[in-house]
């Protein structure tokens, strides 16, 4: 889950990372109140989850109330790269001597935490460290604690600034929380309320599905996260692109299959649906019954290609065959590769 800058800064503050005093506003009047509380001069900052807000005119310096009114009025309602600005963050403006970059993220290949630091303007980070050892080292330690104890996928400060007074300070915050750690963080509930999801993901969440929306044209349903990921890879390998990741997990009853098909069907860019099931605990005949029943409930815009293997796969295929579903609606392929090829061929022809 991605946080807005103001939420990221609140999160940073919990770990003692220095940020500027400020407040959130969704009207011009509120922005004026927040500016007075923060103290002039202030920066008025568009709260959208996209980079380059400064260049897009979404970040403005204001020296007095009149300027706050002007900038807040301009920025609220602004469209920045397709993101509507509904709130501005107003904070005390900082003097900047140098701007740096610092982030913690995962290096998945190395299975390690990755710290990235960069220094612009020819200043060596060592020189900064010499001038302000306390500041740099301690902020990195705090950022690391935020990343690990705070269960982040990404904790990024860009820019991390050096003030003329020698202090180090976070001027921006990009925080992405690890959804799998949500059970440890009841306080994340407030972030869910403002979360920006695409409509497909909202529908999937309502139905309790493990779904991630992607940009391609082949809708994917698989049982197990690993198999779903492999399915995306194979679709890619044979020249297609997946419209989503969807793991229906261990069960594959009619309710679950209907829900999965409904979410996929909702996506206008889906041109074919690839169902990839390897039965273990999940039994082939249950999957087949689930699909037959789901087809009675959901009228699909795109044809299905299914690869059904593993436990009771033959029984499952028999059920699909005897249900008399036309080839134009559902076809069965013996392997994952052949199924992916067929699904991609349909998607790319449309
Ligand atoms: P982004 O463009 O969306 O990444 O937004 P940032 O919050 O990183 O701001 C972009 C740039 O605006 C920064 O790199 C700074 O140069 C400038 N900026 C932001 N806040 C302040 C501030 O308090 N004082 C000054 N002088 N510049 C600021
Ligand atoms: Mn930034």
């Amino acid at each position: 889950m991605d946080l807005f800058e103001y939420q990221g800064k609140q999160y940073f503050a919990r770990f003692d990372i220095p940020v500027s005093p400020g407040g959130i506003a969704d009207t011009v009047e509120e922005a004026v109140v927040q500016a007075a509380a923060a103290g002039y001069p202030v920066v008025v900052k568009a709260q959208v989850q996209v980079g380059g807000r400064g260049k897009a005119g979404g970040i403005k310096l204001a020296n007095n109330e009149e300027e706050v009114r002007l900038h807040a009025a301009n920025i609220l309602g602004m469209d920045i790269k397709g993101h509507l600005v509904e709130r501005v963050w107003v904070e005390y403006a900082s003097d900047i001597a140098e701007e740096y970059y610092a982030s913690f993220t995962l290096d998945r290949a190395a299975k390690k935490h990755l710290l990235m630091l960069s220094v612009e303007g020819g200043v060596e980070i060592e020189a900064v460290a010499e001038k302000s050892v306390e500041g740099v080292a301690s902020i990195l330690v705090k950022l690391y604690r935020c990343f690990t104890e705070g269960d982040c996928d990404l904790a990024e400060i860009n820019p991390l600034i050096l003030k003329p007074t020698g202090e180090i300070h976070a001027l921006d915050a990009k925080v992405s929380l690890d959804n799998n750690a949500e059970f440890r963080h009841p306080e994340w509930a407030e972030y869910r309320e403002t979360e920006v999801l695409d409509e497909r993901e909202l529908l999937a969440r309502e139905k309790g599905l493990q779904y991630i929306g992607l940009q391609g044209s082949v809708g994917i349903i698989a049982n197990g996260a690993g198999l779903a990921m492999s399915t995306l890879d194979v679709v890619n390998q044979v020249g297609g692109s997946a419209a989503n990741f969807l793991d229906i997990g261990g069960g594959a009853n009619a309710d679950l299959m209907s829900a999965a098909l409904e979410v996929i069907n909702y996506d206008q860019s889906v041109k074919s649906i690839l169902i990839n099931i390897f039965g273990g605990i999940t039994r082939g005949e249950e999957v087949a019954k689930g699909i037959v029943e789901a087809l009675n409930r959901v009228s699909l815009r795109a044809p299905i290609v299914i690869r059904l293997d593993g436990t009771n796969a033959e029984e499952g295929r028999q059920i699909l065959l005897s249900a008399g579903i036309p080839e134009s609606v559902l076809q069965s392929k013996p392997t994952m590769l052949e199924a992916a090829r067929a699904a991609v061929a349909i998607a790319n022809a449309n």
Side-chain angles (χ1 to χ4, degrees):
M1 170 168 51
D2 297 331
L3 300 190
F4 287 97
E5 175 196 5
Y6 74 96
Q7 296 168 328
K9 283 181 168 169
Q10 287 163 356
Y11 212 62
F12 281 175
R14 282 175 43 187
F15 295 90
D16 272 340
I17 296 168
V19 290
S20 308
I24 196 76
D26 56 16
T27 63
V28 171
E29 291 310 318
E30 267 178 52
V32 168
V33 171
Q34 298 292 14
Y40 287 98
V42 294
V43 259
V44 181
K45 308 184 75 176
Q47 295 302 290
V48 281
Q49 292 175 351
V50 62
R53 292 168 300 161
K55 278 189 187 149
I59 295 178
K60 295 284 182 194
L61 191 77
N63 290 299
N64 50 51
E65 184 179 321
E66 196 187 336
E67 288 178 12
V68 167
R69 284 186 188 281
L70 176 73
H71 296 317
N74 278 337
I75 294 171
L76 286 165
M78 190 181 260
D79 183 294
I80 300 183
K81 299 176 188 172
H83 296 246
L84 175 70
V85 182
E86 293 180 275
R87 285 173 234 103
V88 290
W89 168 251
V90 182
E91 73 174 26
Y92 180 68
S94 305
D95 282 335
I96 305 175
E98 300 286 349
E99 296 196 9
Y100 317 118
Y101 171 96
S103 72
F104 277 100
T105 184
L106 277 180
D107 182 338
R108 293 178 194 278
K111 298 179 181 167
K112 282 177 180 160
H113 296 148
L114 177 69
L115 165 66
M116 282 193 273
L117 269 180
S118 108
V119 179
E120 291 201 349
V123 178
E124 302 293 321
I125 194 76
E126 290 85 354
V128 180
E130 239 169 66
K131 261 193 275 176
S132 187
V133 176
E134 185 68 45
V136 174
S138 84
I139 224 172
L140 293 179
V141 169
K142 287 167 182 170
L143 189 61
Y144 183 68
R145 279 195 48 216
C146 173
F147 177 70
T148 51
E149 290 169 35
D151 286 308
C152 301
D153 281 332
L154 170 72
E156 180 189 89
I157 308 177
N158 183 25
L160 174 67
I161 59 160
L162 172 67
K163 295 187 193 177
T165 48
E167 295 147 285
I168 305 280
H169 187 95
L171 209 62
D172 192 5
K174 192 168 169 191
V175 172
S176 186
L177 301 172
D178 176 358
N179 288 337
N180 294 313
E182 194 162 5
F183 70 97
R184 280 201 284 259
H185 297 276
E187 81 280 9
W188 288 2
E190 70 169 285
Y191 303 140
R192 284 277 175 228
E193 285 165 24
T194 53
E195 195 184 8
V196 184
L197 288 175
D198 79 32
E199 291 181 40
R200 299 174 296 171
E201 291 182 348
L202 277 172
L203 184 64
R205 174 162 303 168
E206 261 171 41
K207 296 184 180 293
L209 296 169
Q210 296 294 323
Y211 175 99
I212 296 165
L214 303 168
Q215 316 309 323
S217 56
V218 181
I220 308 283
I221 299 175
N223 68 322
L227 188 63
M229 303 255 263
S230 314
T231 311
L232 300 193
D233 285 346
V234 172
V235 162
N236 210 49
Q237 216 172 57
V238 298
S241 58
N244 65 277
F245 167 98
L246 203 175
D247 165 21
I248 55 167
N253 59 30
D255 285 344
L256 200 59
M257 202 43 96
S258 300
L261 285 172
E262 264 176 65
V263 172
I264 300 241
N265 207 35
Y266 179 80
D267 185 344
Q268 300 290 322
S269 45
V270 167
K271 303 291 181 232
S272 67
I273 301 168
L274 174 55
I275 302 181
N276 189 7
I277 305 286
F278 192 91
I281 302 167
T282 309
R283 302 204 320 266
E285 81 273 20
E286 271 173 26
V287 174
K289 279 182 204 153
I291 291 172
V292 172
E293 217 181 304
L295 283 176
N296 289 330
R297 296 189 207 170
V298 188
S299 118
L300 294 178
R301 289 186 294 101
I304 296 175
V305 180
I306 184 171
R307 174 260 188 158
L308 185 55
D309 211 339
T311 311
N312 297 356
E314 194 43 50
E315 287 89 328
R317 276 184 230 117
Q318 279 311 318
I319 288 169
L320 288 175
L321 214 63
S322 53
I325 307 163
E327 273 263 306
S328 59
V329 175
L330 182 142
Q331 48 177 303
S332 182
K333 295 286 176 190
T335 67
M336 171 147 108
L337 185 62
E338 284 166 87
R341 280 202 180 114
V344 169
I346 296 167
N348 290 353
N350 281 287

